[in-house]
Amino acid sequence: MGWRSIIIGQHAKITHSAHMMVVQTKDGINEIPMDDIAKVLVETTQAMISSDFMSACLQRNIKVIFVDRKYQPIGETVGYQPVARDYELLEWSPVNKIDNLNRDFFVLCHD
């Protein structure tokens, strides 16, 4: 569980590499361990965020918050599962087993 709040306030490129958040700015490159991060506040429209970084945030339940030009929050990321471990417990196959085709046709919808 993370404890750091990261604020992106200037032109930056945000990526993910080797369990680290990589922030490239005009001042240099900073790396922050993903496990230390609780939330990321993006308060600029000049940030480029990679989909790999967003995926890593959602897997670790790290909230990413975006603000508008008046610095008012306008949105945040919400994953499908609150805990990444729960994703492994779901069966995404539409058919549980071939033998039980009539009984368990929709695995995620049955009672």
Side-chain angles (χ1 to χ4, degrees):
M1 184 169 156
W3 52 274
R4 291 186 186 193
S5 297
I6 309 298
I7 300 173
I8 306 296
Q10 63 177 319
H11 177 74
K13 178 181 177 186
I14 305 165
T15 57
H16 172 256
S17 178
H19 305 289
M20 303 285 277
M21 173 184 181
V22 181
V23 182
Q24 298 176 358
T25 64
K26 64 179 180 177
D27 299 327
I29 298 173
N30 298 304
E31 294 183 350
I32 304 148
M34 293 292 290
D35 293 333
D36 291 353
I37 302 172
K39 61 185 151 229
V40 178
L41 176 65
V42 182
E43 62 175 23
T44 180
T45 58
Q46 299 294 316
M48 192 286 299
I49 304 170
S50 73
S51 60
D52 186 40
F53 171 74
M54 292 301 296
S55 176
C57 286
L58 291 168
Q59 288 175 352
R60 290 173 173 83
N61 203 24
I62 297 172
K63 189 164 296 280
V64 181
I65 303 168
F66 298 93
V67 299
D68 62 9
R69 294 184 190 274
K70 298 177 184 176
Y71 300 103
Q72 298 297 316
I74 57 170
E76 62 185 36
T77 58
V78 178
Y80 286 134
Q81 299 299 322
V83 180
R85 184 177 61 87
D86 292 342
Y87 176 76
E88 297 171 359
L89 300 175
L90 289 176
E91 294 182 26
W92 289 98
S93 172
V95 177
N96 197 10
K97 293 181 180 177
I98 300 292
D99 298 338
N100 297 328
L101 181 62
N102 294 328
R103 188 180 60 156
D104 292 329
F105 184 71
F106 295 104
V107 173
L108 298 177
C109 298
H110 72 41
D111 293 331

